[in-house]
Amino acid sequence: MSSEFMDLFIRHFDFWPHLSATEKEILTAGSKIVHYPKGTHVHQGALDCIGVHLLKKGQLRVYTMSEDGREVTLYRLFADDVGILSAPCVLDSLTFEVYVDAEEDTEALLIKSPAFRKLSDGNIQVRCYGYQMATRRLSDMLWKMQQVLFFSADRRLAIFLLEESEKNGSAEIHLTHEQIARFMGTAREVVSRLVKYFNQEGLIKNSRGCIKIIDRDAMKQLAGK
């Protein structure tokens, strides 16, 4: 068994100690390291069921799409995150139509669908892990849909900028207006207008490809935090 695989399994999959020797062989044989260049369509809704991803580095964006082609980002995966909703065929009752794109050059461990399905069917610990991860992502999706349906655009932008700042550990957010709009599920023109307004109000300082939060307290108040 690859020492690299062993380390990843032990650190990220709490079902690992509950696997038999045979099950560990199935998991190892059904796993591989994959690389996705930026812009790759990793998962295309119901058209495929590639498996479970554990990100080593990079970023994947999980989104849904309306009939007229409008995208709504549901959540993003970063290093050490596990993505299971791109494998609806491995767990019963997972019927979500989601798409996954690589936002950055991404390297991940991929557990192929047949291997994870076989383990899930035969080991309750694996099955519970799968549903636990799916539930966590569903919570992210519901939070995103709540924002889209019920929050004003300025509040959504304030929430987004604060979350990005906290995630990066920096007051600076290095994203374009186009990227922010795609992540928020809105139009670039809306983001540009709000960024201009936030800048005028002294909440942020905007420069090309970068937004710096200046008044965090006022931003939190706007975000409702």
Side-chain angles (χ1 to χ4, degrees):
M1 180 185 301
S2 165
S3 60
E4 180 182 25
F5 279 15
M6 173 74 79
D7 181 59
L8 291 171
F9 294 151
I10 292 173
R11 286 194 295 115
H12 296 282
F13 300 130
D14 56 15
F15 59 75
W16 175 257
H18 303 283
L19 298 181
S20 66
T22 299
E23 289 172 329
K24 289 179 179 179
E25 290 179 3
I26 293 172
L27 179 61
T28 303
S31 301
K32 64 177 182 178
I33 299 297
V34 292
H35 299 84
Y36 302 118
K38 180 179 179 180
T40 301
H41 297 304
V42 177
H43 176 77
Q44 302 184 59
L47 297 178
D48 55 4
C49 183
I50 53 180
V52 177
H53 286 97
L54 165 62
L55 266 67
K56 296 183 65 181
K57 62 180 181 180
Q59 178 185 161
L60 297 180
R61 180 173 70 100
V62 181
Y63 62 98
T64 188
M65 189 179 299
S66 66
E67 291 184 357
D68 60 1
R70 187 170 70 91
E71 298 177 3
V72 176
T73 300
L74 300 173
Y75 57 89
R76 287 177 288 158
L77 299 172
F78 301 90
D80 295 328
D81 284 339
V82 175
I84 199 167
L85 293 189
S86 59
C89 60
V90 303
L91 291 173
D92 296 333
S93 303
L94 284 185
T95 57
F96 303 99
E97 186 81 357
V98 298
Y99 302 82
V100 183
D101 289 354
E103 288 294 309
E104 302 173 0
D105 292 340
T106 299
E107 181 179 359
L109 172 73
L110 173 65
I111 305 175
K112 300 175 186 177
S113 294
F116 195 88
R117 179 68 193 227
K118 187 171 184 178
L119 293 174
S120 176
D121 287 344
N123 190 304
I124 189 63
Q125 297 292 337
V126 178
R127 192 170 186 83
C128 286
Y129 174 86
Y131 280 117
Q132 180 183 29
M133 295 305 301
T135 300
R136 184 180 303 175
R137 294 307 169 193
L138 284 174
S139 178
D140 294 338
M141 292 165 61
L142 288 172
W143 168 236
K144 175 62 69 174
M145 296 310 296
Q146 180 182 359
Q147 292 183 48
V148 172
L149 293 173
F150 303 115
F151 291 1
S152 62
D154 57 346
R155 183 180 180 188
R156 289 172 58 202
L157 179 59
I159 291 171
F160 176 82
L161 293 177
L162 286 171
E163 289 180 345
E164 286 296 304
S165 174
E166 292 167 3
K167 188 183 303 176
N168 299 329
S170 171
E172 294 186 353
I173 296 95
H174 294 276
L175 294 171
T176 65
H177 293 187
E178 182 68 34
Q179 288 174 307
I180 294 173
R182 188 166 66 249
F183 295 152
M184 287 179 55
T186 189
R188 181 188 60 78
E189 293 76 13
V190 172
V191 172
S192 297
R193 174 173 54 80
L194 290 174
V195 166
K196 182 179 180 180
Y197 169 70
F198 283 12
N199 197 67
Q200 291 172 342
E201 293 296 309
L203 301 178
I204 63 172
K205 184 177 181 180
N206 182 45
S207 58
R208 187 175 181 84
C210 178
I211 294 174
K212 183 176 182 180
I213 297 176
I214 302 299
D215 192 337
R216 186 173 294 272
D217 290 338
M219 188 77 79
K220 285 184 177 179
Q221 185 175 5
L222 179 60
K225 292 190 175 184

